[in-house]
Amino acid sequence: MASEGPADIALIGLAVMGQNLILNMADHGFTVCAFNRTTSKVDDFLANEAKGKSIIGAHSLEEMVSKLKKPRKIIILVKAGQAVDSFIEQLIPLLEQGDIIIDGGNSEYTDTQRRCNYLKSKDLLFVGSGVSGGEEGARYGPSLMPGGHPEAWPHIKEIFQCISAKVSDNNEPCCDWVGNDGAGHFVKMVHNGIEYGDMQIICEAYHLMKMILKLSNDEMADIFADWNKQELDSFLIEITSDIMRYKDDDGQPLVEKILDSAGQKGTGKWTAISALDFGVPVTLIGESVFARCLSSLKNERLAASEILSGPSTTMEFDVGGDKKSFIDDIRKALYASKIVSYAQGFMLLREAAAKFDWNLNYGGIALMWRGGCIIRSVFLGNIKKAFDNNPELQNLLLDDFFREEISKCQDSWRNVIATAVKLGIPTPAFSTALAFYDGYRSGQLPANLIQAQRDYFGAHTYQRIDNPGNFIHTNWTGKGGNVSSSTYNA
Ligand code: NBP
């Protein structure tokens, strides 16, 4: 029998995410009121998937609000952007002080900040929550990253933590309060950026095995399955093995019939833009976004492939040992690049936290990503440990465990990139990760020359090593004046 309410929570938006999240909440004993702009979808849902469950429907927002326990809790799970603002505007006159609106879509964190301020002025509470894990996650346990008005958290905590994924070893929920205003959506954005990076480094490993070692898809499926039993154990490695093995109707691997032109919805780009805005070198995610952009220039690349020369990759390359050891080198290059990517992602989180005064729990964030979401992996357990050991850890690369792991991978990582460069196989993410690593561990970089150049042509001033407190301008040519430009950092 369907419950008649009152409902614990309402959800607006009966597309794939909304329907599955409602079913998940109902499975955990909550009564949910469902609403959708196109109200026929409410009837369809109630008559089919929701039948017999503690799910009630509404055909107007007024009806939905009237069926809710107070303080009212309403999740909006619709297309990000204008649709969210439109529902917020319609809800405001129907709600009372202390009622809670939750946006579970992929909203930009700046929109969430704006909505937090706006709804505070209306005496309403607002939460912007990242939801990750796709359709299956929403149905059986997503990773949830809520942030916004902290007064809302005690009211939604039980529902959120009940329906979220749990880390298998100790059953901890992959959901906790992230921080004020846009913190939840910012963390979700960085999660998505890291997802872009993880996918790109896996693609580079695949490309190297295919182009240099000429391995078959079944052989690669076995290798990814084997890697999935080691430190790379993760959802994305697991599905890559399945994808490698999957055959089309003619018995040939389906993946080789898919056009090599990658799409994107924008969250990786947002991460890269934020990294540039904050001045944080999140290079691997940036390269991953650009790698997708380059892949999408398919026609241009095809034309260029007839014109531009490079080393031949048609012959099987002698990797200077057995194939097995080069495969192991690729695994280590992937692992080291992954460590750098996460280190960069956490650097961005740290910078945003400082700018917006968010008290982020980095170990807690690693735990939220440990299960339920697309980047879920055993590796995130190690990241959690690193931040639990030292919550003030400045950079993941400086943690003892990760420092040693990278050190163990280093020779292989360099060998793979050097081999790829010699053979003309692009490895943008592996390479940028190594360049970052070498830059980060360099006490001396050539930026002294940049400062000299800037001062030479623009009187931008520089600091002397023996007198760093002062910004100095030199009249390099004897022709310019002694007036310096105002000092700025960009
Ligand atoms: P969609 O992003 O496809 O959105 C469909 C929903 O938005 C429907 O309920 C639709 O109502 C409503 N909607 C649209 Br479209 N335009 C509207 C408007 N102008 N006013 C009011 N309602 C409008 O659904 P989804 O794939 O379930 O994703 C929901 C949110 O979750 C999105 O923000 C998405 O980015 C995010 N997300 C999705 C995934 C995933 O794997 N799909 C994962 C994580 C997060 P209608 O039925 O009347 O057209």
Side-chain angles (χ1 to χ4, degrees), residues 337-390:
S337 302
K338 185 174 166 107
I339 294 171
V340 168
S341 179
Y342 282 67
Q344 293 180 340
F346 277 90
M347 284 168 74
L348 181 57
L349 290 177
R350 191 174 284 283
E351 196 60 31
K355 173 159 184 198
F356 297 121
D357 208 13
W358 295 335
N359 183 19
L360 297 185
N361 171 353
Y362 302 103
I365 291 168
L367 177 67
M368 278 180 246
W369 295 346
R370 171 78 184 76
C373 61
I374 305 299
I375 64 169
R376 62 184 180 261
S377 66
V378 167
F379 174 81
L380 278 156
N382 296 322
I383 296 183
K384 179 173 187 313
K385 261 188 226 151
F387 285 112
D388 283 352
N389 289 342
N390 178 9

Side-chain angles (χ1 to χ4, degrees), residues 33 35 58-68 72 90-91 93-94:
C33 183
F35 178 74
H59 291 88
S60 68
L61 289 174
E62 288 81 354
E63 185 191 353
M64 180 193 83
V65 166
S66 74
K67 289 182 167 176
L68 286 174
R72 302 176 183 94
Q90 294 172 64
L91 285 169
L94 307 177

Side-chain angles (χ1 to χ4, degrees), residues 309-335:
S309 66
S312 165
T313 52
T314 50
M315 297 294 291
E316 191 164 325
F317 179 66
D318 177 6
V319 288
D322 59 330
K323 276 186 179 181
K324 225 172 152 211
S325 81
F326 195 68
I327 291 166
D328 218 40
D329 282 352
I330 297 175
R331 174 180 61 79
K332 288 179 179 165
L334 199 167
Y335 183 40

Side-chain angles (χ1 to χ4, degrees), residues 250-287:
D250 60 2
Q252 296 305 308
L254 177 61
V255 67
E256 302 307 328
K257 298 187 177 183
I258 296 177
L259 191 72
D260 56 329
S261 174
Q264 48 182 316
K265 279 195 167 171
T267 39
K269 183 178 85 177
W270 294 349
T271 313
I273 291 172
S274 292
L276 289 170
D277 281 343
F278 290 119
V280 181
V282 186
T283 62
L284 193 143
I285 294 173
E287 279 298 344

Side-chain angles (χ1 to χ4, degrees), residues 15-218:
V16 59
M17 293 299 283
Q19 289 202 12
N20 281 298
L21 209 64
I22 291 175
L23 294 170
N24 184 353
M25 288 191 277
D27 280 355
H28 284 87
F30 301 104
T31 301
V32 191
C33 183
F35 178 74
N36 193 68
R37 174 181 65 170
T38 309
T39 50
S40 59
K41 289 192 187 164
V42 177
D43 299 320
D44 288 347
F45 183 53
L46 292 179
N48 295 291
E49 295 85 350
K51 200 169 180 180
K53 295 185 183 285
S54 55
I55 298 169
I56 57 178
H59 291 88
S60 68
L61 289 174
E62 288 81 354
E63 185 191 353
M64 180 193 83
V65 166
S66 74
K67 289 182 167 176
L68 286 174
K69 287 180 192 161
K70 292 180 186 177
R72 302 176 183 94
K73 298 171 263 307
I74 300 164
I75 301 179
I76 302 175
L77 203 41
V78 299
K79 191 171 173 221
Q82 182 50 40
V84 178
D85 286 316
S86 157
F87 274 119
I88 289 174
E89 280 308 323
Q90 294 172 64
L91 285 169
I92 287 171
L94 307 177
L95 298 180
E96 290 169 9
Q97 183 175 11
D99 286 344
I100 302 163
I101 299 177
I102 303 152
D103 170 23
N106 264 343
S107 295
E108 289 200 57
Y109 79 95
T110 45
D111 281 340
T112 305
Q113 289 177 314
R114 171 177 57 78
R115 288 168 186 148
C116 272
N117 289 335
Y118 180 55
L119 286 169
K120 193 174 181 133
S121 74
K122 304 282 178 195
D123 282 334
L124 296 173
L125 297 176
F126 186 68
V127 173
S129 179
V131 177
S132 177
E135 179 179 358
E136 202 182 317
R139 179 69 185 87
Y140 299 108
S143 162
L144 295 172
M145 298 153 249
H149 293 143
E151 306 90 309
W153 181 231
H155 300 288
I156 62 170
K157 182 176 176 179
E158 188 193 354
I159 300 182
F160 268 51
Q161 293 195 333
C162 271
I163 64 167
S164 76
K166 308 288 180 301
V167 176
S168 48
D169 357 337
N170 43 8
N171 220 27
E172 281 186 86
C174 296
C175 168
D176 207 345
W177 186 250
V178 177
N180 286 350
D181 62 76
H185 273 133
F186 193 91
V187 167
K188 172 64 168 42
M189 177 192 76
V190 174
H191 161 284
N192 282 29
I194 286 177
E195 181 181 309
Y196 273 59
D198 278 359
M199 292 167 78
Q200 177 63 26
I201 54 182
I202 293 172
C203 286
E204 289 178 17
Y206 152 65
H207 202 200
L208 291 165
M209 288 194 275
K210 178 174 151 180
M211 302 301 284
I212 298 182
L213 300 176
K214 317 283 185 219
L215 298 184
S216 71
N217 289 64
D218 280 335

